């Protein structure tokens, strides 16, 4: 099974440039680091500043929140904001993790990726929902399911 995790950025960040998976310090990233198993999923991050980026591309800290206007701008020109390679592993499991403004952009970008043949249309797609505590639980459960080898 190949898995793709699409995560929203975090307002809490380190003060120095780093790869996003380590730059972001918010609770979803804490959950990711605590729950990810040996078989790490491919991670694409939706940055309010940069758009969709690969999780191992070094970026500097920034201060741009995801607003309705910013998400509308991203939706209006998805290809310009997509700097990641979503379908590198032809994922069959996908989780969209983030608040509603992020997920609406993620859903549209995923539909675009599927329409271009970059991501299989047969992939199982799930989304985190509810408050941040519920989203953390959903992320943790998904990570345990797809990243921990069956024993």
């Amino acid at each position: 099974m190949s898995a793709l995790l699409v995560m929203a950025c975090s307002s809490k960040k380190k003060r120095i440039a780093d790869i996003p998976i380590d730059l972001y310090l918010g609770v979803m990233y804490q959950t990711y680091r605590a729950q990810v198993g040996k078989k790490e999923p491919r991670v694409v991050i939706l940055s309010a500043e940069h758009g969709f980026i690969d999780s191992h591309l070094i970026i500097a800290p920034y201060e741009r929140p995801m607003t309705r206007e910013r998400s509308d701008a991203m939706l209006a020109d998805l290809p310009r904001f997509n700097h990641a390679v979503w379908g590198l592993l032809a994922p069959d499991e996908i989780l969209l993790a983030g608040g509603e403004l992020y997920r609406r952009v993620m859903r549209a970008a995923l539909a675009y990726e599927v329409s271009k043949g970059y991501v299989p249309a047969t992939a199982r797609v799930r989304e985190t929902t509810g408050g941040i505590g519920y989203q953390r639980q959903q992320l943790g459960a998904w990570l345990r399911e797809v990243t921990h080898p069956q024993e």
Side-chain angles (χ1 to χ4, degrees):
M1 169 188 336
S2 64
L4 171 66
L5 172 60
V6 184
M7 290 183 76
C9 64
S10 164
S11 62
K12 189 174 180 183
K13 302 170 190 68
K14 288 181 180 178
R15 295 180 188 217
I16 59 170
D18 205 340
I19 59 172
I21 207 74
D22 293 332
L23 174 74
Y24 297 120
L25 302 174
V27 294
M28 292 294 276
Y29 288 85
Q30 293 171 20
T31 299
Y32 175 85
R33 288 188 282 275
Q35 297 294 331
V36 72
K38 293 179 181 178
K39 187 179 174 189
E40 289 186 38
R42 172 145 179 74
V43 180
V44 168
I45 295 170
L46 176 52
S47 160
E49 176 71 18
H50 303 288
F52 292 96
I53 55 175
D54 288 309
S55 63
H56 291 89
L57 172 72
I58 295 176
I59 61 171
Y62 58 89
E63 295 300 324
R64 175 175 266 188
M66 180 62 81
T67 62
R68 171 72 59 184
E69 294 78 21
R70 184 65 172 164
S71 66
D72 289 345
M74 289 181 170
L75 288 170
D77 194 5
L78 283 172
R80 185 170 75 93
F81 289 100
N82 191 5
H83 311 287
V85 182
W86 289 50
L88 192 62
L89 302 174
D92 46 29
E93 282 284 335
I94 300 171
L95 179 66
L96 308 179
E100 179 54 37
L101 286 176
Y102 286 93
R103 289 193 329 270
R104 73 189 280 255
V105 177
M106 291 173 184
R107 285 190 294 268
L110 177 59
Y112 175 81
E113 293 288 307
V114 169
S115 76
K116 294 294 185 182
Y118 302 141
V119 171
T122 56
R124 178 180 176 195
V125 180
R126 291 184 265 178
E127 297 184 21
T128 60
T129 59
I132 194 66
Y134 289 117
Q135 289 188 46
R136 289 182 78 181
Q137 289 174 356
Q138 293 159 21
L139 173 60
W142 186 85
L143 286 167
R144 287 187 301 277
E145 179 183 323
V146 301
T147 71
H148 293 267
Q150 298 296 327
E151 298 177 354

